[in-house]
Amino acid sequence: MIRFEKVGLRYGERPEVLRGVNFDLSAGSFHFLTGPSGAGKSSLLKLIYLALHPTEGRIILFGRDVAKVPRRELPWLRRRIGVVFQNFRLLGHFSAIENVALPLLIKGAKRQEVETHVIELLRWVGLGERVAAYPATMSDGEKQRVAIARAVVGRPSVLLADEPTGNIDPDQAIRIVHLFEELNKLGTTVVIATHDQNLIARYNHHPVLHLERAAVRRHDPLSPVTALAAAAAGGVRSHD
Amino acid sequence: MIKRRSPVPFERERSERFLPFVIGAMTFLGALAVVLLFTLDAAMTRWRADLRDTLTVQIPATKEAGGERAEAVLAIVRATPGVANAQLVTYEEVERLLEPWLGKGSAAKGLPIPILIDITRAPGATIDRAATERQIQKAAPGATIEDHGTWLNRLVRLALSIQLVAAAIVMLIGAAAIAVVVFATRAGLAVHHDAIEILHLIGAQDAYIAREFQTRALSLGLRGGLYGLALAAVAIAVFTAALPDLSVAPAFRFSPDGRALVALVLLPVATALIALLTARHTVMRALGRMP
């Protein structure tokens, strides 16, 4: 589904953010992406959602080498990837329902056709009473759920979330990760970038991609690092 | 619940509000230049039709009555090959021609007014002006033949050069309009960068994003064009009413003909289309630089 082969990234003349990154995420998997602040988690996600080009290496998405995909076809690849951005990135002059409907409208769907579906989705994320609300009147948790609804409304194959629990309280964070797990059960590949070790520990049945010093290491469930994080969070869960 | 509106919040932007007024001013100037172009064209057509095949014999005034000399010259002219018609211009007609300069009434009386004979050339024929002039000078010393074609050619050259200047003005205005739209679109791209990036990342094609900008530019361009046209209509009406018919034989009337009116009506449409295409090109180029 997503394969990185010796991927490197640097911004201009600055030091490399990523160096020789290799990993392979299979379809329907659920991963946490973690690492210290500034380690390059957001940059790695940007490479996956095609907001950046790698400075070296190869990225294979849905079986296609991204570098060889003609530019005019990139929007179709992007439509298969749902993104929950770090600061939500909602359109301020659009209501919740309009923000969520946007990915469908840009595909050419008619407003009347999508309205019912979008309202259902907003109910699913717990915003059934807030469909007409504007971002300026919403709490961070509500904005986050609108952002999630917008990311999944087009039934993407891959869902990426950049620090989705960074601005919300722990209870809401748990609700949101549950939403991601539900989507994952439906077959969506999920990658959540977070530096919240408590969250990773709570959901330690998912593998972790650990990003540090420009390189990625993979830790499978309950590997020593995961277990350590779980222990630190005081909530180790066992699962077989 | 889902309203029909652009994902790019143009209504929140102040920088582009000047655009209809700038385009309006340009359209106004363009409209005047277009009217000048067509008015001169119509005038040239009239001049050619009226004067191309005409010549005038001028017999200088003397103390004696000029009737005999005029009759003799008229007979020579009528017998000249290539002449279709020759007519003595009556004193009343000469007075009327002098009216714009001397005023109405009998101001011309007492002035040494020459005797004039209008000659019409047969279509396609040539008249040996020098030989004819020599002949009529025997009957009326000092008489001359003025070929209007020569004078007309000079006038047409002048009119053509004015038309060229007017066309250059129209093109300059078009170029300036393009520059203004490019500037406004780039400003819009910078202001709405966030919204554009969101659209781009959720899978909008470049053409979808460009459509938002080009529709906006079309609307602003059309509005500006209509402002300019309305202003130009007032100015043309004032000119048409205020300027007298400058009838010095070949008439020049400042009044737009049918072609000019069609061009004027099309001007706001052209302005709007220029704005649309310029905005589209600018946005597509800018988006082409995104990953």
mmCIF file of all heavy atoms in Angstrom, chain B residues 91-92 94-96 98-99 101-113:
data_model
loop_
_atom_site.group_PDB
_atom_site.id
_atom_site.type_symbol
_atom_site.label_atom_id
_atom_site.label_comp_id
_atom_site.label_asym_id
_atom_site.label_seq_id
_atom_site.Cartn_x
_atom_site.Cartn_y
_atom_site.Cartn_z
ATOM 1 N N TYR B 91 -23.604 81.245 -57.068
ATOM 2 C CA TYR B 91 -23.141 82.160 -56.023
ATOM 3 C C TYR B 91 -23.734 81.769 -54.667
ATOM 4 O O TYR B 91 -23.057 81.818 -53.634
ATOM 5 C CB TYR B 91 -23.533 83.603 -56.387
ATOM 6 C CG TYR B 91 -22.957 84.596 -55.413
ATOM 7 C CD1 TYR B 91 -21.612 84.993 -55.493
ATOM 8 C CD2 TYR B 91 -23.745 85.117 -54.385
ATOM 9 C CE1 TYR B 91 -21.087 85.877 -54.577
ATOM 10 C CE2 TYR B 91 -23.219 86.006 -53.463
ATOM 11 C CZ TYR B 91 -21.890 86.384 -53.572
ATOM 12 O OH TYR B 91 -21.363 87.249 -52.655
ATOM 13 N N GLU B 92 -24.984 81.320 -54.664
ATOM 14 C CA GLU B 92 -25.666 80.932 -53.422
ATOM 15 C C GLU B 92 -24.957 79.735 -52.769
ATOM 16 O O GLU B 92 -24.776 79.683 -51.551
ATOM 17 C CB GLU B 92 -27.126 80.558 -53.683
ATOM 18 C CG GLU B 92 -28.038 81.730 -54.024
ATOM 19 C CD GLU B 92 -27.758 82.312 -55.418
ATOM 20 O OE1 GLU B 92 -27.378 81.532 -56.314
ATOM 21 O OE2 GLU B 92 -27.878 83.540 -55.568
ATOM 22 N N VAL B 94 -21.805 78.926 -53.184
ATOM 23 C CA VAL B 94 -20.499 79.389 -52.665
ATOM 24 C C VAL B 94 -20.697 80.078 -51.315
ATOM 25 O O VAL B 94 -19.944 79.853 -50.370
ATOM 26 C CB VAL B 94 -19.823 80.349 -53.685
ATOM 27 C CG1 VAL B 94 -18.537 80.940 -53.088
ATOM 28 C CG2 VAL B 94 -19.515 79.635 -54.978
ATOM 29 N N GLU B 95 -21.751 80.881 -51.247
ATOM 30 C CA GLU B 95 -22.059 81.570 -49.976
ATOM 31 C C GLU B 95 -22.283 80.558 -48.845
ATOM 32 O O GLU B 95 -21.806 80.729 -47.732
ATOM 33 C CB GLU B 95 -23.331 82.405 -50.153
ATOM 34 C CG GLU B 95 -23.036 83.881 -50.201
ATOM 35 C CD GLU B 95 -24.318 84.691 -50.075
ATOM 36 O OE1 GLU B 95 -25.432 84.126 -50.244
ATOM 37 O OE2 GLU B 95 -24.200 85.879 -49.810
ATOM 38 N N ARG B 96 -23.012 79.498 -49.183
ATOM 39 C CA ARG B 96 -23.313 78.463 -48.175
ATOM 40 C C ARG B 96 -22.022 77.770 -47.712
ATOM 41 O O ARG B 96 -21.837 77.476 -46.539
ATOM 42 C CB ARG B 96 -24.280 77.428 -48.769
ATOM 43 C CG ARG B 96 -24.852 76.446 -47.734
ATOM 44 C CD ARG B 96 -25.830 75.484 -48.368
ATOM 45 N NE ARG B 96 -25.290 74.781 -49.521
ATOM 46 C CZ ARG B 96 -24.433 73.751 -49.438
ATOM 47 N NH1 ARG B 96 -24.031 73.333 -48.264
ATOM 48 N NH2 ARG B 96 -23.973 73.159 -50.527
ATOM 49 N N LEU B 98 -19.174 79.127 -47.612
ATOM 50 C CA LEU B 98 -18.361 80.066 -46.807
ATOM 51 C C LEU B 98 -18.972 80.358 -45.435
ATOM 52 O O LEU B 98 -18.320 80.959 -44.582
ATOM 53 C CB LEU B 98 -18.165 81.373 -47.585
ATOM 54 C CG LEU B 98 -17.268 81.272 -48.823
ATOM 55 C CD1 LEU B 98 -17.278 82.586 -49.597
ATOM 56 C CD2 LEU B 98 -15.834 80.915 -48.446
ATOM 57 N N GLU B 99 -20.219 79.933 -45.285
ATOM 58 C CA GLU B 99 -20.951 80.226 -44.046
ATOM 59 C C GLU B 99 -20.216 79.833 -42.753
ATOM 60 O O GLU B 99 -20.161 80.617 -41.801
ATOM 61 C CB GLU B 99 -22.310 79.552 -44.072
ATOM 62 C CG GLU B 99 -23.455 80.551 -44.134
ATOM 63 C CD GLU B 99 -24.798 79.858 -44.267
ATOM 64 O OE1 GLU B 99 -24.982 78.802 -43.609
ATOM 65 O OE2 GLU B 99 -25.596 80.352 -45.046
ATOM 66 N N TRP B 101 -17.270 79.916 -42.030
ATOM 67 C CA TRP B 101 -16.175 80.849 -41.692
ATOM 68 C C TRP B 101 -16.642 82.298 -41.577
ATOM 69 O O TRP B 101 -16.169 83.044 -40.746
ATOM 70 C CB TRP B 101 -15.067 80.778 -42.770
ATOM 71 C CG TRP B 101 -14.279 79.512 -42.663
ATOM 72 C CD1 TRP B 101 -13.262 79.260 -41.819
ATOM 73 C CD2 TRP B 101 -14.500 78.326 -43.402
ATOM 74 N NE1 TRP B 101 -12.801 77.982 -41.980
ATOM 75 C CE2 TRP B 101 -13.550 77.372 -42.955
ATOM 76 C CE3 TRP B 101 -15.383 77.928 -44.403
ATOM 77 C CZ2 TRP B 101 -13.467 76.082 -43.452
ATOM 78 C CZ3 TRP B 101 -15.296 76.657 -44.906
ATOM 79 C CH2 TRP B 101 -14.344 75.737 -44.429
ATOM 80 N N LEU B 102 -17.568 82.682 -42.451
ATOM 81 C CA LEU B 102 -17.974 84.095 -42.502
ATOM 82 C C LEU B 102 -19.300 84.358 -41.808
ATOM 83 O O LEU B 102 -19.687 85.504 -41.626
ATOM 84 C CB LEU B 102 -18.062 84.558 -43.971
ATOM 85 C CG LEU B 102 -16.755 84.424 -44.774
ATOM 86 C CD1 LEU B 102 -16.962 84.877 -46.196
ATOM 87 C CD2 LEU B 102 -15.628 85.232 -44.139
ATOM 88 N N GLY B 103 -20.013 83.302 -41.489
ATOM 89 C CA GLY B 103 -21.309 83.477 -40.831
ATOM 90 C C GLY B 103 -22.422 83.643 -41.844
ATOM 91 O O GLY B 103 -22.176 83.787 -43.049
ATOM 92 N N LYS B 104 -23.647 83.622 -41.329
ATOM 93 C CA LYS B 104 -24.814 83.699 -42.222
ATOM 94 C C LYS B 104 -25.003 85.127 -42.724
ATOM 95 O O LYS B 104 -24.495 86.079 -42.152
ATOM 96 C CB LYS B 104 -26.067 83.239 -41.483
ATOM 97 C CG LYS B 104 -26.245 81.744 -41.502
ATOM 98 C CD LYS B 104 -27.665 81.369 -41.117
ATOM 99 C CE LYS B 104 -27.872 79.887 -41.462
ATOM 100 N NZ LYS B 104 -29.162 79.397 -41.120
ATOM 101 N N GLY B 105 -25.739 85.248 -43.793
ATOM 102 C CA GLY B 105 -26.068 86.569 -44.306
ATOM 103 C C GLY B 105 -25.231 86.916 -45.517
ATOM 104 O O GLY B 105 -24.769 86.035 -46.239
ATOM 105 N N SER B 106 -24.979 88.174 -45.686
ATOM 106 C CA SER B 106 -24.307 88.595 -46.923
ATOM 107 C C SER B 106 -22.877 89.040 -46.656
ATOM 108 O O SER B 106 -22.380 89.976 -47.257
ATOM 109 C CB SER B 106 -25.108 89.713 -47.567
ATOM 110 O OG SER B 106 -25.299 90.738 -46.599
ATOM 111 N N ALA B 107 -22.251 88.392 -45.673
ATOM 112 C CA ALA B 107 -20.877 88.777 -45.327
ATOM 113 C C ALA B 107 -19.921 88.578 -46.500
ATOM 114 O O ALA B 107 -18.904 89.248 -46.611
ATOM 115 C CB ALA B 107 -20.409 87.960 -44.132
ATOM 116 N N ALA B 108 -20.270 87.646 -47.419
ATOM 117 C CA ALA B 108 -19.369 87.341 -48.532
ATOM 118 C C ALA B 108 -19.439 88.407 -49.626
ATOM 119 O O ALA B 108 -18.559 88.491 -50.472
ATOM 120 C CB ALA B 108 -19.721 85.977 -49.107
ATOM 121 N N LYS B 109 -20.527 89.203 -49.574
ATOM 122 C CA LYS B 109 -20.711 90.215 -50.634
ATOM 123 C C LYS B 109 -19.578 91.238 -50.574
ATOM 124 O O LYS B 109 -19.157 91.657 -49.507
ATOM 125 C CB LYS B 109 -22.065 90.890 -50.471
ATOM 126 C CG LYS B 109 -23.183 89.996 -50.962
ATOM 127 C CD LYS B 109 -24.430 90.782 -51.327
ATOM 128 C CE LYS B 109 -25.436 89.871 -51.982
ATOM 129 N NZ LYS B 109 -26.424 89.360 -51.051
ATOM 130 N N GLY B 110 -19.086 91.572 -51.736
ATOM 131 C CA GLY B 110 -18.009 92.548 -51.789
ATOM 132 C C GLY B 110 -16.639 91.921 -51.749
ATOM 133 O O GLY B 110 -15.637 92.578 -51.984
ATOM 134 N N LEU B 111 -16.579 90.611 -51.457
ATOM 135 C CA LEU B 111 -15.280 89.930 -51.449
ATOM 136 C C LEU B 111 -14.994 89.391 -52.856
ATOM 137 O O LEU B 111 -15.928 89.016 -53.557
ATOM 138 C CB LEU B 111 -15.285 88.760 -50.452
ATOM 139 C CG LEU B 111 -15.354 89.122 -48.974
ATOM 140 C CD1 LEU B 111 -15.512 87.844 -48.136
ATOM 141 C CD2 LEU B 111 -14.077 89.840 -48.541
ATOM 142 N N PRO B 112 -13.727 89.344 -53.214
ATOM 143 C CA PRO B 112 -13.398 88.802 -54.553
ATOM 144 C C PRO B 112 -13.511 87.281 -54.558
ATOM 145 O O PRO B 112 -12.519 86.580 -54.395
ATOM 146 C CB PRO B 112 -11.962 89.258 -54.770
ATOM 147 C CG PRO B 112 -11.403 89.416 -53.407
ATOM 148 C CD PRO B 112 -12.526 89.781 -52.484
ATOM 149 N N ILE B 113 -14.717 86.826 -54.747
ATOM 150 C CA ILE B 113 -14.947 85.379 -54.677
ATOM 151 C C ILE B 113 -14.729 84.748 -56.047
ATOM 152 O O ILE B 113 -15.302 85.213 -57.050
ATOM 153 C CB ILE B 113 -16.370 85.104 -54.159
ATOM 154 C CG1 ILE B 113 -16.464 85.581 -52.710
ATOM 155 C CG2 ILE B 113 -16.727 83.623 -54.244
ATOM 156 C CD1 ILE B 113 -17.837 85.558 -52.156
#
